[in-house]
Amino acid sequence: QVHLVESGGGLVQAGGSLRVSCVGSGFDFTPDFGWFRQASGKEREFVAAITGTGGTWYGDPAKGRFTVARDNAKNTVYLHMNRLKSEDTGVYYCAAQRGGGRLESIGSYGYWGQGIQVTVAS
């Protein structure tokens, strides 16, 4: 059974940096990972993704500020966030798919973590 567990969230000042991590377990395939976020009262949106072969894809909010990376030996995916803004506040979710689905599409992912809160204070 696949499990995804996020960590590393918290409170950060605007302009600061934060790294969130997601450890996966139970895979019998090499997944593509995605990061999504959901602000209070808003739809869940795509942030970034990394394929099993290391290809990366970013949503508009992340371009130029966030970096997604993975460590296959640790079954871990990271989201490094820099120059954070108050509008980056939300619950960040790690997701995994078998591959072949659109990386920016929520429906492509069959496995989700519980989410972790990131709050950026202005």
Side-chain angles (χ1 to χ4, degrees), residues 2-3 13 17 28 38 41 43-44 46 48 51 54 59 71 76 82 87 89 92 101 112 114 117 121:
V2 172
H3 289 284
Q13 294 295 314
S17 299
D28 61 0
Q38 188 165 17
E43 298 283 321
R44 192 171 298 189
F46 171 71
T51 68
D71 183 336
T76 301
N82 297 311
E87 50 263 46
T89 294
Y92 282 69
W112 290 84
Q114 79 286 354
Q117 179 69 42

Side-chain angles (χ1 to χ4, degrees), residues 36-47:
F36 293 78
R37 70 186 186 186
Q38 188 165 17
S40 180
K42 295 188 176 181
E43 298 283 321
R44 192 171 298 189
E45 66 175 347
F46 171 71
V47 177

Side-chain angles (χ1 to χ4, degrees), residues 79-108:
L79 183 67
H80 301 264
M81 301 182 285
N82 297 311
R83 303 199 305 278
L84 283 160
K85 309 172 184 178
S86 57
E87 50 263 46
D88 294 317
T89 294
V91 178
Y92 282 69
Y93 296 91
C94 172
Q97 60 160 296
R98 289 182 175 270
R102 292 180 60 181
L103 293 172
E104 72 276 21
S105 175
I106 291 172
S108 296

